[in-house]
């Protein structure tokens, strides 16, 4: 029997309610929600026609996605000479965007795995699309090193397989660390996301009105029936994957940053990079989660599930990690001064007051000053202010990657080797096209799969009815 309104529960409802779950009270679900209303609300997004806003956003992202396809096609035809790369700036916007997108994916793993292990129930409404965001962000990240190699048709030379040129990967290269770190991160995140989806896919299977949907969701739900044995295996598997994912939050961006730290380039050769990059990744990742949460909340009418309480908690995390990032910025200058290395000192002075000074100060303002507005409760509970600040944070974090990568390579040891990097229209097109690819994938996910976990939402309803 339904524990709130005493009406019978449909079989599709029982497929996604974990037996015997005990949770502390988390008042982050509004309205008089029942098991049936949770199922109807979330499934209706998948089963019914999407709202007009979805069509508008989907059309824009699809149109601009064609710009990405055309730009990448022309790049493959002409080569990387169409970019603004020069000597000494051999790493341009492609690597800037790679590091940026890898960082965006961090909040998904943090919300899903770390907060799950710490039993933070406020993650419930946002963990599903945060996990999807991780997968889509890693896909966007992997696009850039793929096209950066230039001769994409011989990409198989990177793999340790026999080939006609007898070329083998250099396993001592720090860049190979990224291959293992990012690929493992993507694989575990994909498994974690999919395992969490299984009970909800079974609900969609039971509610399917066409044979094609019933067969498709039946295959994807892996024969789920909601029995006690299924739940025991599900919860154990979910816990194991959460435990595997947690070290990845720290390791992936630490490995990416160590690529820079192991070099001798001024501005890169520092041990502060791993914690600095991890804090920045969580900072930018939560900002993107907030952006997507506000859009999804408005587009699909999920105000009862994604509440102001969720957004306020994310705002607090953004503010705290922003303070960590600001501390890292100040420590970079302190380390340069305290080292007594004149080249390091000159490099950081040029970074703040040289050619790329506007980018540097945009980075500082967006990442350290603007997030402090979240100290004011009225701002961190105002939807428009939250959305605008989250956009500024992502702009600032993109600028941070630009300043670190371009700002260091363009101004290293010898004045005769200094150069200036100016992006071309193709780099702009590919960068904006990657954002469109990200939103295109996210919109497809939001329409065709449950973007909020029905299983965990019903556990909140169950607990609240007994409190």
């Amino acid at each position: 029997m339904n524990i709130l309104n005493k009406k019978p529960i449909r079989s599709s409802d029982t497929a996604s309610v974990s037996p015997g779950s005990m949770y502390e009270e988390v008042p982050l679900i509004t309205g008089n929600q029942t098991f049936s209303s949770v199922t109807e609300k979330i499934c209706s997004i998948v089963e019914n026609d999407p709202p007009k806003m979805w069509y508008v956003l989907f059309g824009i992202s699809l149109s601009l996605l064609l710009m990405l396809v055309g730009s990448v096609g022309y790049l493959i035809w002409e080569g990387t000479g169409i970019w603004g790369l020069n000597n000494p700036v051999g790493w341009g916007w492609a690597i800037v965007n790679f590091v940026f997108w890898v960082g965006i994916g961090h909040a998904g793993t943090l919300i899903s795995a770390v907060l799950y292990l710490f039993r933070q129930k406020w993650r419930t409404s946002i963990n599903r699309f945060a996990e999807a965001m991780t997968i889509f962000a890693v896909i966007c990240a992997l696009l850039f090193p793929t096209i950066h190699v230039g001769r994409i048709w011989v990409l198989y030379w990177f793999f340790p397989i026999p080939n006609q040129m007898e070329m083998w990967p250099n396993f001592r290269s720090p860049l190979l660390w990224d291959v293992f770190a990012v690929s493992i991160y993507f694989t575990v995140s994909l498994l974690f996301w999919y395992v969490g989806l299984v009970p909800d896919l079974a609900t969609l299977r039971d509610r399917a009105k066409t044979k094609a949907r019933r067969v498709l969701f039946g295959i994807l739900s892996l024969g789920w029936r909601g029995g006690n044995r299924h739940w025991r295996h599900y919860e154990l598997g979910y816990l194991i994957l959460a435990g595997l994912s947690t070290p990845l939050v720290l390791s992936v961006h630490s490995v990416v940053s160590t690529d820079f730290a192991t070099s001798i380039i001024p501005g890169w050769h520092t041990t502060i990079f791993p914690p600095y990059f991890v804090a920045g990744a969580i900072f930018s990742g939560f900002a993107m989660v907030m952006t997507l949460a506000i859009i999804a909340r408005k587009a699909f009418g999920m105000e009862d599930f994604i509440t102001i309480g969720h957004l306020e908690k994310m705002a607090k995390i953004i503010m705290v990690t922003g303070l960590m990032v600001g501390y890292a910025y100040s420590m970079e200058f302190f380390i340069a001064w305290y080292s007594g290395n004149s080249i390091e000192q000159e490099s950081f002075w040029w970074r703040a007051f040289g050619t790329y000074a506007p980018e540097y100060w945009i980075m500082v303002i967006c990442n350290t000053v603007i997030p402090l507005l979240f100290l004011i409760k009225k701002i961190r509970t105002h939807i428009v202010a939250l959305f605008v600040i989250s956009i500024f944070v992502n702009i600032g974090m993109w600028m941070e990657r630009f300043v670190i990568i371009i700002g260091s390579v363009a101004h290293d040891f010898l004045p005769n080797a200094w150069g200036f990097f100016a992006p071309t229209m193709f780099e702009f097109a590919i960068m904006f096209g990657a954002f469109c690819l990200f939103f295109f994938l996210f919109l497809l996910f939001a329409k065709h799969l449950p973007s909020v976990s029905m299983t965990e939402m019903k556990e909140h309803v169950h607990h609240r009815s007994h409190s």
Side-chain angles (χ1 to χ4, degrees), residues 12 28 62 81 102 128-129 134 168 214-215 222 227 233 265 304 333 342 352 362 439 460:
S12 60
L28 292 174
L62 180 60
V102 170
R128 176 66 54 75
F129 65 79
T134 294
W168 294 87
R214 191 159 50 248
V215 170
L222 306 177
H233 292 164
I265 301 295
D304 288 342
F333 275 87
S342 59
I362 290 173
F439 286 108
H460 281 305

Side-chain angles (χ1 to χ4, degrees), residues 151 154-161 163-165 167-169:
R151 299 174 182 174
V154 290
L155 193 65
Y156 64 93
W157 287 355
F158 282 100
F159 302 100
I161 58 176
N163 58 73
Q164 74 277 14
M165 299 297 293
M167 297 183 66
W168 294 87

Side-chain angles (χ1 to χ4, degrees), residues 74-95:
Y74 188 69
L75 170 73
I76 295 172
W77 181 262
E78 289 290 327
T80 53
I82 66 173
W83 289 347
L85 303 177
N86 55 42
N87 191 7
V89 184
W91 282 12
W93 274 20
I95 305 302

Side-chain angles (χ1 to χ4, degrees), residues 140-462:
C140 293
L142 292 175
L143 167 70
F144 289 98
T146 301
I147 62 177
H148 189 271
V149 300
R151 299 174 182 174
I152 194 172
W153 54 90
V154 290
L155 193 65
Y156 64 93
W157 287 355
F158 282 100
F159 302 100
I161 58 176
N163 58 73
Q164 74 277 14
M165 299 297 293
E166 297 185 356
M167 297 183 66
W168 294 87
N170 180 9
F171 286 98
R172 293 176 295 179
S173 170
L175 295 179
L176 199 62
W177 304 343
D178 287 348
V179 176
F180 291 106
V182 177
S183 60
I184 293 172
Y185 180 60
F186 176 78
T187 303
V188 175
S189 298
L190 181 62
L191 288 172
F192 194 54
W193 172 69
Y194 180 68
V195 168
L197 267 172
V198 169
D200 291 353
L201 292 173
T203 299
L204 293 175
R205 175 202 63 202
D206 295 342
R207 293 171 56 94
K209 297 178 181 179
T210 64
K211 184 177 180 180
R213 289 176 62 88
R214 191 159 50 248
V215 170
L216 176 61
F217 287 121
I219 294 172
L220 294 176
S221 60
L222 306 177
W224 179 272
R225 288 293 180 270
N228 185 60
R229 183 170 61 89
H230 286 188
W231 276 112
R232 283 190 291 108
H233 292 164
Y234 167 81
E235 292 179 350
L236 178 60
Y238 200 73
L239 181 63
I240 291 172
L241 287 171
L244 290 174
S245 301
T246 300
L248 296 177
V249 177
L250 302 177
S251 66
V252 175
H253 229 50
S254 297
V255 170
V256 173
S257 66
T258 307
D259 293 344
F260 301 98
T262 54
S263 72
I264 60 172
I265 301 295
W268 288 1
H269 189 65
T270 174
T271 56
I272 199 177
F273 263 24
Y276 170 21
F277 269 49
V278 169
I282 296 172
F283 180 56
S284 61
F286 266 95
M288 184 62 79
V289 171
M290 180 177 287
T291 302
L292 295 177
I294 293 172
I295 293 173
R297 185 177 187 268
K298 180 66 176 177
F300 296 107
M302 294 194 293
E303 288 84 356
D304 288 342
F305 299 142
I306 305 174
T307 66
I308 294 296
H310 293 96
L311 300 178
E312 185 179 8
K313 287 180 182 294
M314 286 192 286
K316 291 177 180 179
I317 292 177
I318 290 172
M319 181 178 63
V320 171
T321 50
L323 292 172
M324 295 179 184
V325 169
Y327 175 76
Y329 293 162
S330 62
M331 282 299 100
E332 280 191 307
F333 275 87
F334 173 78
I335 291 169
W337 167 77
Y338 194 72
S339 68
N341 188 324
S342 59
I343 296 175
E344 192 84 9
Q345 293 169 356
E346 159 63 21
S347 178
F348 276 92
W349 180 265
W350 183 83
R351 181 181 291 184
F353 303 104
T355 307
Y356 296 119
E359 288 83 354
Y360 177 83
W361 292 109
I362 290 173
M363 172 193 78
V364 171
I365 292 171
C366 290
N367 293 345
T368 63
V369 178
I370 292 179
L372 293 178
L373 294 173
F374 285 148
L375 287 168
I376 304 171
K377 184 177 179 63
K378 190 174 182 179
I379 292 179
R380 68 174 184 263
T381 55
H382 191 278
I383 297 297
V384 176
L386 290 168
F387 185 77
V388 171
I389 292 174
S390 69
I391 297 295
F392 273 114
V393 168
N394 280 306
I395 292 173
M397 288 307 297
W398 191 93
M399 286 296 180
E400 178 195 290
R401 275 61 179 226
F402 179 89
V403 168
I404 290 173
I405 295 171
I406 309 297
S408 295
V409 177
H411 195 87
D412 53 11
F413 292 100
L414 300 176
N416 66 338
W418 294 348
F420 177 77
F421 171 81
T424 65
M425 60 176 288
F426 297 101
E427 285 165 303
F428 278 103
I430 292 173
M431 182 188 73
F432 288 118
F435 278 95
C436 294
L437 173 62
F438 177 79
F439 286 108
F440 173 79
L441 294 172
F442 180 78
L443 289 169
L444 283 178
F445 158 75
K447 174 61 185 75
H448 297 289
L449 291 172
S451 52
V452 174
S453 174
M454 288 183 278
T455 301
E456 298 187 30
M457 272 297 160
K458 290 172 185 177
E459 288 170 346
H460 281 305
V461 172
H462 176 77

